[in-house]
Amino acid sequence: MSHFAGKRIVLGITGGIAAYKAAELTRLLVKAGAAVDVVMTEAATHFVSAVTFQALAGRNVWTSLWDADQRGMAHIDLTRGADAVLVAPATADFLARLTHGMANDLLTTLCQARDCPLLVAPAMNRQMWEQPATQRNVAQLTADGIAILGPAAGEQACGEVGEGRMLEAQELVDALAAFLQPKPLAGKKVLLTAGPTFEALDPVRGLTNTSSGKMGFALARACAEAGAEVTLVAGSVSESQSRWYAGSYAKRIDVISALEMRDAVMAALPGQDVFIAVAAVADYRPAVATEHKIKKGAQTLSIELVANPDILAEVAARPDAPFCVGFAAESRNLAEYAEGKRKAKKLPLVVGNLVQDGLGGDTNRVTLFDDAGAHPLPAGDKLGIARGIVSHIARLMKCIG
Ligand code: C5P
């Protein structure tokens, strides 16, 4: 995943035990394609060595205002052309100095002199975090337009338990990636369905399909990154899928059957600007779900199925319909079937993919079908594809030029 290709990040590291996590953070950012300029405070070098970051980032590591560069202007030059400064971990002392505009080391000086966004990931003992002084500083930094990432709650290095743990490296990478995304859907409300439905036959059995929900969850995240307020109606996705989702991008409503999904969508629909139906909704459900387990014995067993409501078609047919996007997962004749669905359900946009390319996996290959024709997106991981779909939606909705 090269989500940071062409990006340059200044990573500030201050003196807390969470500094060891900054090594993994550097590795993940470099792996995702970023150029990482590491700046350490003097205290940080007591926890981790500059050599570690030199090796991981493959670039010079800056530790002092007096580090020799060509012009003696590292505090200015480092942020010129950078996409963001991320300080992780950010200690209580660093936050205090930043709040008050102090410039008494290289990191605070370059933060004052920066011309790019600044994000900080606090990390400290829970008592330090709860101190009125720290809370005042964090409120002031937020008011000054500085993004605060975390902290999380949990076990701390000192043995105490509470709020103040730095977010994990992957969480910080995800938060930074989200922060850097364009925001064409700011002020918009987006409703999505995701995952399979489960149609009960008896108390333990049912009809379902192999949809993992990953594409829908990735789209929910991409919509949130683009600035939208997101509601996600999720079918019966697995526990691991729920963990992948991390839970923080959207208001999430869990449902099991198609009928429940329909009810949840209709209840959440008023005021939505966009509806994206990603769920693999079962077309049919058993006419009756028996109260008790069906016993074996008979040589043949017939199950009567009745059609489920088509949620997307119902939403798209409403006079106050939001901008509706459908998915067409086909095993062949993609263009023909996807266009057919688009016309039949009167949708401005259908995202088509071949099931062999996407269902259940982490990657996908999709083609977008709209009034202007077919637009293939580059194959890739589902989050990258979701971002491509979101920018296409924003263009069709004239949110971006
Ligand atoms: O007609 P088909 O089921 O192939 O259309 C797929 C699209 O319609 C997907 O966007 C899917 O989420 C949506 N759909 C729905 N309710 C159904 C069946 C499909 O919203 N009962």
Side-chain angles (χ1 to χ4, degrees), residues 138-185:
V138 169
Q140 185 59 54
L141 291 171
T142 305
D144 291 347
I146 292 165
I148 314 286
L149 308 180
E155 210 170 289
Q156 304 205 302
C158 52
E160 295 181 6
V161 177
E163 215 175 341
R165 280 172 60 93
M166 188 171 86
L167 295 184
E168 297 302 329
Q170 186 63 57
E171 292 173 315
L172 290 174
V173 171
D174 291 348
L176 183 58
F179 182 90
L180 294 175
Q181 287 302 309
K183 309 287 174 213
L185 296 184

Side-chain angles (χ1 to χ4, degrees), residues 67-232:
D67 282 338
D69 73 341
Q70 289 143 346
R71 304 195 307 131
M73 288 289 169
H75 64 291
I76 307 292
D77 294 345
L78 277 170
T79 67
R80 297 299 177 265
D83 293 279
V85 177
L86 168 62
V87 180
T91 59
D93 171 72
F94 173 77
L95 296 178
R97 290 189 288 131
L98 187 63
T99 304
H100 294 285
M102 292 179 71
N104 54 354
D105 62 9
L106 176 58
L107 186 56
T108 46
T109 309
L110 78 79
C111 285
Q112 300 303 339
R114 77 186 186 280
D115 66 352
C116 64
L118 172 59
L119 303 89
V120 297
M124 64 198 73
N125 166 270
R126 67 184 175 89
Q127 294 284 14
M128 296 172 81
W129 174 249
E130 283 163 16
Q131 280 303 325
T134 304
Q135 290 302 311
R136 266 198 312 275
N137 292 340
V138 169
Q140 185 59 54
L141 291 171
T142 305
D144 291 347
I146 292 165
I148 314 286
L149 308 180
E155 210 170 289
Q156 304 205 302
C158 52
E160 295 181 6
V161 177
E163 215 175 341
R165 280 172 60 93
M166 188 171 86
L167 295 184
E168 297 302 329
Q170 186 63 57
E171 292 173 315
L172 290 174
V173 171
D174 291 348
L176 183 58
F179 182 90
L180 294 175
Q181 287 302 309
K183 309 287 174 213
L185 296 184
K188 302 279 184 220
K189 290 177 80 175
V190 179
L191 176 65
L192 301 101
T193 61
T197 63
F198 179 91
E199 312 297 329
L201 267 169
D202 70 14
V204 289
R205 305 185 185 96
L207 303 177
T208 187
N209 59 65
T210 56
S211 162
S212 64
K214 283 181 184 163
M215 195 64 230
F217 281 72
L219 256 166
R221 177 168 162 183
C223 289
E225 287 178 351
E229 186 186 326
V230 179
T231 304
L232 175 65

